[in-house]
Amino acid sequence: DAMVIQNPRYQVTQFGKPVTLSCSQTLNHNVMYWYQQKSSQAPKLLFHYYDKDFNNEADTPDNFQSRRPNTSFCFLDIRSPGLGDAAMYLCATISEGGGQYFGAGTRLSVL
Amino acid sequence: QKEVEQNSGPLSVPEGAIASLNCTYSDRGSQSFFWYRQYSGKSPELIMFIYSNGDKEDGRFTAQLNKASQYVSLLIRDSQPSDSATYLCAVNMPGGYQKVTFGTGTKLQVIP
């Protein structure tokens, strides 16, 4: 059974129309991450949480926000998507050895 | 200098051969090293982690770490076509909550 679940798997939005991506985990872990990955690029960390302690990467655009209402759920809000925000968005929690366990990802298209 | 560097490939090997994937990193304070496999259009999957200098084996996979040279590698023995994927190296960043930095990955093609 999947331990990190992302919805939806595919999301199409219009330029400038807000969109929310969701993630849930069944591992009850206190750390969660959001990454952005574009084609042929490395996953880029946007935010991470330790419990409710929110950590924003210095180069994450203000257009990206996140919420974590409880241990299990985490949301990524893109307030005004641009064409350059089309990417795979990956949610993750901690895996064995301190690595990350990723959900299946949400592929975002911006028209 | 990039924090984690990998040759983008593609690295082509015949089926049954050993595939050798390499990664260098810049931060001498890094303590944890990870290899992920990512199939096209899918999310990364953790396949190996290593903390100590030397070799760590898991089935057909062997991770090798040399902290003095700031070098980590992944060997895949008896390569199969199903091993064809992009392999991402990741290194922990000291000071964060298990933050890691990823390399851009090496694309491996196993030729039947």
Side-chain angles (χ1 to χ4, degrees):
Chain A
D1 290 340
M3 292 177 280
V4 179
I5 301 165
Q6 292 189 243
N7 285 301
R9 292 291 314 278
Y10 302 92
Q11 176 74 57
V12 180
T13 191
Q14 292 178 331
F15 184 94
K17 185 174 181 181
V19 65
T20 294
L21 311 181
S22 71
C23 177
S24 64
Q25 56 134 339
T26 60
L27 297 167
N28 203 37
H29 208 289
N30 50 15
V31 185
M32 291 186 80
Y33 308 85
W34 279 106
Y35 288 86
Q36 178 193 63
Q37 187 179 26
K38 297 183 178 181
S39 181
S40 301
Q41 295 186 18
K44 177 182 178 300
L45 183 64
L46 298 173
F47 320 97
H48 71 282
Y49 286 91
Y50 188 88
D51 286 330
K52 285 191 178 273
D53 183 17
F54 174 71
N55 298 271
N56 190 28
E57 293 302 297
D59 58 353
T60 298
D62 292 340
N63 196 26
F64 291 84
Q65 304 287 320
S66 183
R67 297 169 282 136
R68 189 179 187 188
N70 54 53
T71 300
S72 299
F73 286 88
C74 196
F75 300 96
L76 173 63
D77 301 308
I78 308 176
R79 294 192 296 187
S80 182
L83 298 178
D85 297 327
M88 174 81 90
Y89 290 88
L90 298 162
C91 176
T93 187
I94 291 288
S95 179
E96 60 173 328
Q100 272 127 34
Y101 186 93
F102 288 91
T106 295
R107 183 165 296 282
L108 178 68
S109 299
V110 181
L111 304 178
Chain B
Q1 182 188 4
K2 292 182 181 178
E3 293 174 305
V4 180
E5 293 205 51
Q6 298 180 255
N7 187 319
S8 61
L11 172 67
S12 294
V13 300
E15 183 174 355
I18 296 175
S20 178
L21 305 162
N22 304 314
C23 173
T24 58
Y25 60 95
S26 61
D27 192 332
R28 286 195 171 273
S30 297
Q31 297 293 322
S32 307
F33 307 87
F34 308 90
W35 283 99
Y36 293 81
R37 176 176 62 201
Q38 186 171 27
Y39 293 113
S40 181
K42 304 295 186 183
S43 61
E45 174 192 9
L46 180 66
I47 55 172
M48 290 285 290
F49 60 89
I50 186 168
Y51 302 145
S52 304
N53 278 329
D55 295 358
K56 179 182 179 184
E57 187 174 316
D58 183 1
R60 295 187 296 113
F61 299 99
T62 299
Q64 299 176 316
L65 175 61
N66 184 325
K67 290 185 179 179
S69 299
Q70 296 175 247
Y71 178 92
V72 59
S73 65
L74 178 71
L75 301 179
I76 307 174
R77 290 181 298 281
D78 188 24
S79 296
Q80 301 297 310
S82 59
D83 295 326
S84 298
T86 296
Y87 289 80
L88 300 167
C89 172
V91 176
N92 85 302
M93 292 294 108
Y97 295 123
Q98 307 281 14
K99 285 175 57 174
V100 297
T101 295
F102 286 85
T104 54
T106 298
K107 186 172 184 177
L108 173 67
Q109 295 177 338
V110 181
I111 312 301

